[in-house]
Amino acid sequence: MASAGASAQQDLAVEADRVSKVFGGKTEVRALDDVSVAIRRNEFFTLLGPSGCGKTTLLRMIAGFEPPTSGTIRLAGKDITHLPPNKRPVNTVFQNYALFPHMTVGGNIGFGLEELRKSKAEVEAQVDKMLQLVRMESLKARMPSALSGGQQQRVALARALAPHPEVLLLDEPLSALDLKLRKEMQTELKRLQSETGITFIFVTHDQEEALTMSDRVAVMSEGRILQVGSPKDIYINPVNRFVADFIGETNFLSGTVEGSAVRMSWGDVLDVKTGRPAGTKVTLAVRPEQVRVGVAGKDSGAGATVTEAVYFGTDTHLHLALADGTPLVARLQNPPSGDDGLGVGAKVTVRFADGAVKALED
């Protein structure tokens, strides 16, 4: 009988074990700093972070395009740290799609299969299957120059999926698309991952993409992974200020620990457990949609003044100033009339939804 550890190992698609990457030159740059992460089979896993955080470097290491300075990369339990890219059962979809302009859609999709010495019948059958998967059956004979950006991306995905790699790496493939098409392709990518059962590792700096598509997300900064978890876990329970600020919008509030509560800078006491000694200064976070706005003189809560109201169609972001000047943003769903009567200068009260205020690590 296989041990629990061996079973867990078999469920992993990719592991990075204490991986570092240092680029030389006049100034040494540590692109990755002792990174360890385990990515499961049949998982949509996203590496999320700002430019220069190391996410693309890690992706390139998994692909074999960049050797680590130290550490180990494993695929399905096998050490592939020094295996060349063409020997890894991994494919990559790049930001610019890199389609062959002289080949038809069908020719592009079948190229990798031909390189693997598949028979003509096998190539044709798999190309047709991939065209059906990406819903482009009628465009098999079309040239890339005659395709829209979204269609070109689908061809690039079909070409990468055709050999059925164990892992598909996606390096910001949606960044060149307009907003509406990008949202459509987010749904398409998740569908493709679910239908193929292939592990997807997706790199992006767009937190909305990470939240809407991923099974799990790794938030990166300055060559390190700060937090790994489901989109919901990371959004609701960020471990520190960077993660809270990078994933969605957040209000940061200052307070001082008093027993099992925190006294806020404007005087209110909030029931927030921090695990820190009395007198400790702490930073708390609360999402704008968890701020409840009431009518001054009628509803309970801390007094505040509306300093700005930004209309977004579905909702309005109220920028508020608390009694001590602390800024706060509340997100309110708009009424059918579109007029909530809360203009600049309006006096309101604010309170927070139960359990919505989180203490952050230092």
Side-chain angles (χ1 to χ4, degrees), residues 20-309:
S20 294
K21 181 63 180 181
V22 179
F23 291 101
K26 291 184 178 179
T27 304
E28 188 177 272
V29 176
R30 185 169 287 272
L32 287 177
D33 189 4
D34 201 31
V35 167
S36 293
V37 65
I39 300 169
R40 303 164 188 152
R41 290 182 185 274
N42 192 21
E43 181 173 38
F44 198 122
F45 190 91
T46 296
L47 299 171
L48 173 69
S51 297
C53 72
K55 57 188 186 295
T56 296
T57 300
L58 181 55
L59 195 81
R60 287 175 59 81
M61 285 185 182
I62 297 169
F65 301 139
E66 199 73 63
T69 303
S70 61
T72 305
I73 303 287
R74 287 187 287 269
L75 194 148
K78 178 184 176 183
D79 187 343
I80 61 166
T81 309
H82 303 293
L83 202 65
N86 63 324
K87 299 296 184 182
R88 303 184 184 203
V90 172
N91 269 350
T92 306
V93 177
F94 298 100
Q95 188 173 339
N96 64 359
Y97 313 144
L99 298 180
F100 302 117
H102 61 290
M103 291 184 181
T104 63
V105 166
N108 267 278
I109 296 172
F111 177 79
L113 298 170
E114 292 172 353
E115 290 294 298
L116 293 172
R117 301 291 189 266
K118 299 292 185 181
S119 70
K120 186 175 181 180
E122 286 179 300
V123 172
E124 284 298 313
Q126 186 67 350
V127 167
D128 289 343
K129 181 179 178 180
M130 290 299 104
L131 285 168
Q132 185 177 16
L133 185 68
V134 298
R135 299 169 180 172
M136 291 185 64
E137 300 96 315
S138 63
L139 302 180
K140 184 176 181 178
R142 189 168 292 186
M143 303 302 288
S145 60
L147 301 176
S148 68
Q151 289 170 335
Q152 288 183 31
Q153 192 213 45
R154 282 182 167 89
V155 176
L157 284 166
R159 182 178 63 184
L161 290 168
H164 202 80
E166 292 185 32
V167 177
L168 184 66
L169 308 175
L170 301 110
D171 188 7
E172 303 208 44
L174 306 184
S175 60
L177 304 179
D178 62 55
L179 179 61
K180 184 176 181 181
L181 186 54
R182 193 158 67 242
K183 289 182 177 295
E184 291 176 2
M185 287 308 303
Q186 289 171 11
T187 303
E188 282 296 293
L189 277 176
K190 185 58 182 172
R191 177 185 67 84
L192 288 171
Q193 190 276 324
S194 179
E195 290 187 13
T196 60
I198 294 171
T199 301
F200 279 24
I201 303 178
F202 186 86
V203 161
T204 185
H205 63 271
D206 188 318
Q207 53 95 8
E208 181 180 303
E209 289 180 359
L211 291 175
T212 55
M213 293 189 293
S214 311
D215 295 315
R216 287 191 304 150
V217 178
V219 182
M220 299 187 66
S221 176
E222 297 181 344
R224 290 180 172 270
I225 292 178
L226 302 183
Q227 186 173 1
V228 178
S230 71
K232 183 181 290 186
D233 287 341
I234 289 178
Y235 187 81
I236 294 175
N237 297 303
V239 295
N240 59 26
R241 183 173 182 132
F242 179 90
V243 175
D245 198 26
F246 199 80
I247 299 286
E249 294 183 67
T250 309
N251 293 296
F252 295 107
L253 309 172
S254 299
T256 304
V257 176
E258 287 190 1
S260 61
V262 176
R263 182 171 294 279
M264 306 309 296
S265 60
W266 61 90
D268 283 6
V269 177
L270 302 183
D271 183 18
V272 180
K273 293 177 175 58
T274 66
R276 299 172 200 178
T280 303
K281 300 291 185 182
V282 292
T283 298
L284 306 180
V286 61
R287 301 291 185 181
E289 65 271 18
Q290 302 299 336
V291 179
R292 306 292 184 249
V293 177
V295 178
K298 177 183 176 182
D299 298 315
S300 62
T305 303
V306 177
T307 59
E308 188 177 4

Side-chain angles (χ1 to χ4, degrees), residues 312-336:
F312 282 93
T314 56
D315 51 35
T316 292
H317 291 195
L318 285 184
H319 292 252
L320 310 167
L322 293 165
D324 69 334
T326 296
L328 188 72
V329 177
R331 181 182 299 159
L332 307 181
Q333 186 172 0
N334 287 323

